Amino acid sequence: MPAKLSVNLNAIAMLRNRRDLPWPSVTGIGRLALAAGAHGLTVHPRPDERHTRHSDLPEIRALIDDEFPQAEFNIEGYPSEDFLALVEKHQPEQVTLVPDDPAQATSDHGWNFVADAALLMPIVRRLKKGGFRVSLFSDADPAAMTAARDTGADRIELYTGPYGSYHSDSAKAAKELERLGKTADAAFAAGLQVNAGHDLTVANLPALAKRIPALAEVSIGHGLTADALEYGMAGTVGRFLKACGW
């Protein structure tokens, strides 16, 4: 089965937040994405609420529950106590933990699964006890997958930023793709499932999907939102689904 598509709504929220107005509607755009066939919605509610606001979360949860019960809600963020409280309140199907500093513009590296084990293991246990699927943001590092598994997580999310950054250098992109592929191979061998996200586009998704055919999910925000300015949200979701292999 091809990778499922989760639409990251952060870029939509950031555009909304440029003005003290209710549009574009984060929930309304999420509805368009799900109606067009997206399998889920992703948000990253940072402490300063500079894009997704805490007030968006109950609306997105209700949208999925009331209109698209087959879809999934994925909340990602650094596992502070405030973040964990948000997760436990709004009950996403998946929680993706990222090692972000609150001041970072965007996620730009994965966890050090050995050095961060003492932090991650009790948090993963807590989340899994609450019934959440847990995914951990990961660099392309095959040797780290045993330590990733030992945290107790269900999945890793491959950080594909370096792959996306080589959009104009096919040789470097191919080298980075193979690093991602070998990491996915090691993750599968360790018993983990694999997601991917960051700077994925209609152009670079097919090669990723071919190299990692068992990829479970891709979470895409910036590139998808940029394409939506040209093709509309519904048309763009269709383009990304096709790029995933649907």
Side-chain angles (χ1 to χ4, degrees):
M1 180 180 292
K4 293 183 177 180
L5 173 65
S6 185
V7 173
N8 190 314
L9 296 170
N10 283 357
I12 301 297
M14 186 176 289
L15 178 60
R16 175 200 61 193
N17 294 353
R18 292 183 68 248
R19 297 286 187 272
D20 186 22
L21 296 167
W23 58 80
S25 165
V26 171
T27 307
I29 295 297
R31 179 180 289 108
L32 292 175
L34 293 174
H39 302 95
L41 301 174
T42 291
V43 296
H44 186 151
R46 285 183 166 84
D48 62 6
E49 301 186 81
R50 64 180 179 268
H51 33 64
T52 306
R53 297 171 180 160
H54 296 175
S55 59
D56 293 320
L57 303 186
E59 295 183 4
I60 297 170
R61 179 71 272 172
L63 169 68
I64 291 174
D65 289 344
D66 296 344
E67 300 180 38
F68 301 94
Q70 77 286 355
E72 290 196 349
F73 192 15
N74 174 44
I75 300 181
E76 61 182 25
Y78 182 83
S80 66
E81 186 58 38
D82 287 345
F83 173 81
L84 295 173
L86 281 177
V87 164
E88 289 165 346
K89 180 177 181 180
H90 299 294
Q91 296 287 300
E93 282 69 34
Q94 179 172 265
V95 182
T96 301
L97 303 181
V98 297
D100 274 4
D101 182 285
Q104 283 182 225
T106 187
S107 305
D108 63 5
H109 65 284
W111 292 99
N112 181 326
F113 295 113
V114 174
D116 295 324
L119 168 68
L120 289 171
M121 290 176 71
I123 291 169
V124 171
R125 281 197 301 269
R126 172 176 168 178
L127 291 170
K128 292 188 71 173
K129 186 176 180 180
F132 306 108
R133 183 197 309 134
V134 180
S135 180
L136 302 178
F137 210 50
S138 175
D139 294 319
D141 182 2
M145 293 303 99
T146 299
R149 176 202 61 201
D150 291 346
T151 66
D154 304 289
R155 298 183 179 184
I156 60 162
E157 179 178 330
L158 289 170
Y159 170 51
T160 53
Y163 174 56
S165 72
Y166 295 136
H167 52 83
S168 59
D169 190 326
S170 59
K172 288 183 178 179
K175 184 176 180 180
E176 186 62 31
L177 176 61
E178 188 56 24
R179 289 183 66 222
L180 292 167
K182 289 180 177 178
T183 304
D185 294 341
F188 294 136
L192 293 163
Q193 293 181 298
V194 178
N195 297 341
H198 217 85
D199 294 338
L200 294 174
T201 66
V202 167
N204 63 28
L205 260 173
L208 182 71
K210 182 177 180 180
R211 177 58 183 84
I212 312 175
L215 192 64
E217 176 186 288
V218 291
S219 174
I220 306 176
H222 183 83
L224 192 149
T225 303
D227 274 18
L229 296 175
E230 292 187 65
Y231 302 102
M233 180 54 69
T236 295
V237 167
R239 285 163 49 83
F240 275 81
L241 287 171
K242 183 177 180 180
C244 289
W246 291 93

